[in-house]
Amino acid sequence: MDEPIPVTRGVDHGTAKLMPDVDRKRAWLLTVDGAPQSYVDLDAPTHLEFEYARRLGHVLDTVAEPGAALDVLHLGGGALTLPRYVAATRPGSRQDVVEADRGLLSLVAEHLPVPDDAGITLHGADARAWLEAAAPGSADIVIADVFGGSRVPAHLTSTAYARAAERVLRADGVYLANLADAAPFAFLRSQLATFAAVFEELALIAEPGVLRGRRFGNAVLVASHRPLDTATLARRTASDAFPARVEHGPALREFIGAAEPVRDENAVPSPEPPDGAFSIG
């Protein structure tokens, strides 16, 4: 049988590479300009390789009854890791994936296609423009995993953006975002302050070493109007291969401190990761 070979292609926003995993027969790593974007195992869609993806998975597992179908809007497509996960764990879910890089969507559709009956629809569009045009109350979950290069774009960080996300969510809906920062956490604190201005409940999931300021890393923001099951979430994230902490309530308010919500006119992208923070080999 032929060994899978790497695929390199220029896409709209850089150079994408699909690299086969030598240890897993139909697993692939997607990078764009050297930064890892996604990992998928076509034979095991519930396998989440990246730490932040597993944390998003823990939230997805605990937001509704196990196996219940959900309407999910994904902002940022990558190699469709989380849409595949939801399709496998919550059959019958309807999922829309919005990805601004049409070349990347095309590459993934060609080399890592999802089954026609998976309930996953791909859209080449800007995340905020899509949110602002989407029907109100049309999603149970909105997941934002949007990086221009290795930075969250500025127009996806403001209270106007947060309100657009809230409008699309149903009353008991949940917003999730993959963010990245390091001490002194100016970006992360501002994002928490921004979403606290729009949503009643917030939680933050991150590795203790990141929260203590020891290194640059990912943090998952969770926002909703209904109480979150932080106890179950804390147990699941603490027992992960790479344990994480769930911050909420007074501890999270203390972390936010005097940070102010972000307005469109003063929005900035997330910080540039230090060399080697996310790069592969």
Side-chain angles (χ1 to χ4, degrees):
M1 187 172 168
D2 291 340
E3 290 292 317
I5 58 171
V7 177
T8 302
R9 183 181 296 177
V11 293
D12 300 7
H13 300 133
T15 300
K17 287 187 181 179
L18 284 172
M19 293 182 279
D21 185 337
V22 294
D23 296 320
R24 299 175 78 99
K25 194 164 77 172
R26 296 182 70 219
W28 296 81
L29 173 70
L30 167 68
T31 68
V32 177
D33 290 342
Q37 299 285 328
S38 302
Y39 179 102
V40 295
D41 186 334
L42 299 179
D43 290 332
T46 60
H47 174 75
L48 301 176
E49 180 79 8
F50 292 173
E51 296 163 37
Y52 85 83
R54 286 203 297 279
R55 288 162 196 159
L56 290 167
H58 292 320
V59 181
L60 288 167
D61 290 345
T62 57
V63 291
E65 286 297 311
L70 297 171
D71 291 337
V72 185
L73 173 59
H74 301 263
L75 305 177
L80 312 178
T81 305
L82 286 168
R84 297 173 205 267
Y85 181 83
V86 171
T89 58
R90 298 182 175 278
S93 293
R94 291 186 307 174
Q95 302 188 78
D96 287 293
V97 180
V98 178
E99 169 60 60
D101 192 322
R102 294 167 189 265
L104 183 60
L105 272 184
S106 174
L107 173 70
V108 170
E110 181 183 338
H111 289 278
L112 308 173
V114 292
D116 290 340
D117 61 355
I120 298 169
T121 308
L122 309 182
H123 310 274
D126 173 77
R128 179 155 163 188
W130 181 273
L131 272 183
E132 290 173 345
S138 55
D140 298 306
I141 309 285
V142 173
I143 305 175
D145 187 12
V146 184
F147 284 79
S150 298
R151 307 176 75 183
V152 178
H155 71 299
L156 306 183
T157 66
S158 67
T159 49
Y161 163 76
R163 284 194 198 97
E166 183 212 27
R167 189 186 66 84
V168 170
L169 284 166
R170 298 188 173 119
D172 62 349
V174 180
Y175 175 87
L176 311 177
N178 175 34
L179 305 172
D181 201 2
F185 302 114
F187 177 75
L188 192 53
R189 291 181 209 273
S190 77
Q191 286 307 282
L192 289 162
T194 298
F195 280 83
V198 176
F199 290 91
E200 293 169 51
E201 302 283 340
L202 284 190
L204 185 72
I205 310 169
E207 203 179 304
V210 171
L211 289 173
R212 291 191 191 111
R214 291 182 183 159
R215 65 180 186 85
F216 187 95
N218 293 90
V220 170
L221 180 154
V222 189
S224 71
H225 285 304
R226 63 173 162 102
L228 300 159
D229 187 355
T230 50
T232 301
L233 208 45
R235 282 196 301 274
R236 292 192 62 149
T237 56
S239 63
D240 199 90
F242 294 91
R245 262 200 347 243
V246 178
E247 296 287 3
H248 60 98
L252 194 56
R253 287 194 289 276
E254 186 178 329
F255 180 80
I256 296 170
E260 294 282 333
V262 176
R263 291 147 51 122
D264 274 336
E265 54 267 34
N266 56 19
V268 295
S270 64
E272 191 79 53
D275 285 348
F278 295 138
S279 61
I280 296 285

